[in-house]
Amino acid sequence: MSKDIYSGQCVSVSIQGIDEVIKALESQYSQKKVTRAERKAMEVSGRYVKDHIKHNIVGYKRTGATVRELIAEKPRRRAGQMTAKIGWDGKGTYQRWRLVHLNEWGYMRNGKHINPRGVGAIRKAVEGSLKEAAEMQFRILKETLGGLHA
């Protein structure tokens, strides 16, 4: 089982083992209290991953629109899973979400594959922040619920 902490235009990532912790917590605390703590943990770790991505995509920066339009949505329960999406705002002035995949994966021009500056930067940023994000979620759950006894 897993918790999605990133589900944006280019990369989808899950942290394994969080569901087991949540089930153990729900057996000791009310579901409302656990949900509140879970949302807080997801929100904080989502912001951490977003900031990590922002720091790593500076390589594409020309106008700064790609960095400015990066957003982290508030956590929501979808199909029984708490998710916090991180991606690019489609309502922004420059609508960078249309170009992010080109910077992340490259593109073809005249039959030749072009690797722009910063290829794979988002993937590297997300993978580099996963362990800390999972630890952060656990720490926040522990602080919010007053210690884990499971």
Side-chain angles (χ1 to χ4, degrees):
M1 299 313 240
S2 64
K3 284 288 168 207
D4 289 339
I5 62 159
Y6 176 86
S7 184
Q9 296 295 323
C10 296
V11 181
S12 182
V13 174
S14 296
I15 295 178
Q16 302 295 321
I18 300 293
D19 280 340
E20 290 77 16
V21 172
I22 298 298
K23 285 180 184 177
L25 291 172
E26 285 176 346
S27 69
Q28 294 179 1
Y29 300 99
S30 71
Q31 187 172 358
K32 185 177 180 179
K33 189 171 184 175
V34 172
T35 299
R36 192 176 307 127
E38 189 179 10
R39 282 185 198 275
K40 182 179 179 182
M42 292 285 289
E43 192 170 331
V44 171
S45 64
R47 271 185 298 190
Y48 171 77
V49 172
K50 179 186 118 180
D51 291 343
H52 203 75
I53 292 170
K54 273 188 175 184
H55 177 73
N56 283 302
I57 63 173
V58 174
Y60 322 148
K61 189 175 179 178
R62 221 177 351 157
T63 64
T66 303
V67 175
R68 269 194 317 276
E69 290 187 11
L70 184 63
I71 59 168
E73 291 182 0
K74 290 189 178 191
R76 293 187 207 171
R77 190 165 301 280
R78 294 179 179 111
Q81 291 285 328
M82 186 69 73
T83 62
K85 287 190 173 190
I86 300 170
W88 278 262
D89 187 10
K91 298 177 189 120
T93 309
Y94 297 101
Q95 295 192 355
R96 299 311 273 190
W97 64 271
R98 297 174 188 268
L99 300 174
V100 167
H101 70 283
L102 297 175
N103 284 327
E104 182 65 10
W105 303 105
Y107 53 91
M108 298 293 284
R109 181 186 295 157
N110 299 325
K112 189 175 177 184
H113 190 265
I114 307 294
N115 283 327
R117 200 173 51 207
V119 166
I122 298 168
R123 186 173 13 92
K124 289 174 194 169
V126 171
E127 289 171 359
S129 63
L130 279 183
K131 186 177 179 184
E132 181 63 31
E135 290 171 3
M136 191 178 294
Q137 285 182 350
F138 183 75
R139 198 168 46 249
I140 291 168
L141 286 171
K142 188 175 180 179
E143 290 168 5
T144 305
L145 296 173
L148 298 175
H149 307 289

